[in-house]
Amino acid sequence: KGTIVFTVDPTATITFENDTVKNFLPSTVELVQNTDGTYGVTKKVTYVAEVNGKQYDSLQAAINAAPRKGTVKLLADTRENVTISTSDLTLDLNGFPLNGSTGECKPALTVTAQRVTVKDGSKAQTGTIMREDTAENSGVSSHYVIDVQGKGLLIFESGNVKNNSGNGDGKGAYLVRVGNDEDNNLPGLTIKGGTFTQNNFIAIKVYRGRFFL
């Protein structure tokens, strides 16, 4: 037993005579067969979302490619901070989390387009939009999970929104922010279903805009 460690130039082409090496490759790459019967390695691509049957390796790429009145469906967990600026778009969480992380001072989801719908089409209803803020980073790097701005209108039909921002000093970030004091637009949030959870700070803050339950 032992471990062999070697460094390969990123521009190099690696060729194996057979596929016995497949059990020793890192999880980030996969073995592919060449036309001459030898084998090479390529970076493994994890597709996290799809639009009209085409798969994308990031949710933002799928959102950017989606047409008006299209549906973007999550296929796997993803850690991103995404913006929807295409009107009449539907985001189907499909049982997976959109995680806006902790370090980035950005919402997991920003909506600036009209009539954007978020739903969870999974049977288990485990689809979640979230951040991982805590009492320790509240007021420092915590942020909203969802931010609706400009002329945006978010219609939330099902799924979960959660964070754990807030501390004993009264510092934290809203779970959802609608509008702001510096913009005369009236964005909107309509909640038809779903679960919104934040125990230690304000869940929904409407600065300027419309809110319907």
Side-chain angles (χ1 to χ4, degrees), residues 1-5:
K1 293 182 178 181
T3 301
I4 299 175
V5 179

Side-chain angles (χ1 to χ4, degrees), residues 24-36:
F24 304 97
L25 294 175
S27 60
T28 55
V29 299
E30 59 185 348
L31 203 63
V32 292
Q33 189 170 21
N34 300 319
T35 55
D36 62 358

Side-chain angles (χ1 to χ4, degrees), residues 66-145:
R68 183 171 175 267
K69 297 186 178 180
T71 296
V72 178
K73 179 185 288 187
L74 270 178
L75 301 177
D77 301 4
T78 187
R79 296 176 72 89
E80 294 183 60
N81 307 91
V82 303
T83 298
I84 298 179
S85 55
T86 301
S87 62
D88 299 290
L89 201 69
T90 296
L91 172 60
D92 183 356
L93 299 173
N94 193 34
F96 296 102
L98 164 58
N99 188 339
S101 182
T102 302
E104 294 285 345
C105 290
K106 298 178 181 179
L109 172 64
T110 300
V111 174
T112 60
Q114 296 183 354
R115 297 175 299 278
V116 171
T117 299
V118 171
K119 67 177 185 178
D120 182 8
S122 71
K123 184 177 180 180
Q125 292 289 287
T126 51
T128 304
I129 304 176
M130 61 182 288
R131 280 181 53 90
E132 296 177 327
D133 294 320
T134 64
E136 286 71 25
N137 81 313
S138 292
V140 180
S141 60
S142 60
H143 210 74
Y144 327 115
V145 174

Side-chain angles (χ1 to χ4, degrees), residues 31-210:
L31 203 63
V32 292
Q33 189 170 21
N34 300 319
T35 55
D36 62 358
T38 61
Y39 291 83
V41 294
T42 185
K43 182 180 179 181
K44 186 178 293 184
V45 177
T46 300
Y47 294 107
V48 301
E50 71 173 16
V51 179
N52 293 331
K54 183 175 181 179
Q55 298 181 338
Y56 297 85
D57 60 3
S58 77
L59 177 57
Q60 188 64 68
I63 290 170
N64 293 345
R68 183 171 175 267
K69 297 186 178 180
T71 296
V72 178
K73 179 185 288 187
L74 270 178
L75 301 177
D77 301 4
T78 187
R79 296 176 72 89
E80 294 183 60
N81 307 91
V82 303
T83 298
I84 298 179
S85 55
T86 301
S87 62
D88 299 290
L89 201 69
T90 296
L91 172 60
D92 183 356
L93 299 173
N94 193 34
F96 296 102
L98 164 58
N99 188 339
S101 182
T102 302
E104 294 285 345
C105 290
K106 298 178 181 179
L109 172 64
T110 300
V111 174
T112 60
Q114 296 183 354
R115 297 175 299 278
V116 171
T117 299
V118 171
K119 67 177 185 178
D120 182 8
S122 71
K123 184 177 180 180
Q125 292 289 287
T126 51
T128 304
I129 304 176
M130 61 182 288
R131 280 181 53 90
E132 296 177 327
D133 294 320
T134 64
E136 286 71 25
N137 81 313
S138 292
V140 180
S141 60
S142 60
H143 210 74
Y144 327 115
V145 174
I146 296 177
D147 197 12
V148 187
Q149 294 297 318
K151 297 180 180 180
L153 170 59
L154 172 61
I155 303 167
F156 201 95
E157 292 187 349
S158 57
N160 306 282
V161 181
K162 70 176 185 179
N163 199 10
N164 195 33
S165 183
N167 59 32
D169 296 328
K171 296 180 179 180
Y174 314 124
L175 193 65
V176 181
R177 181 179 75 155
V178 180
N180 64 80
D181 289 336
E182 300 176 354
D183 191 339
N184 291 327
N185 284 304
L186 297 174
L189 170 64
T190 297
I191 298 177
K192 294 184 177 181
T195 302
F196 291 71
T197 305
Q198 178 158 264
N199 295 325
N200 301 313
F201 203 72
I202 298 167
I204 297 174
K205 174 68 173 182
V206 180
Y207 276 98
R208 187 191 302 271
R210 298 156 294 168

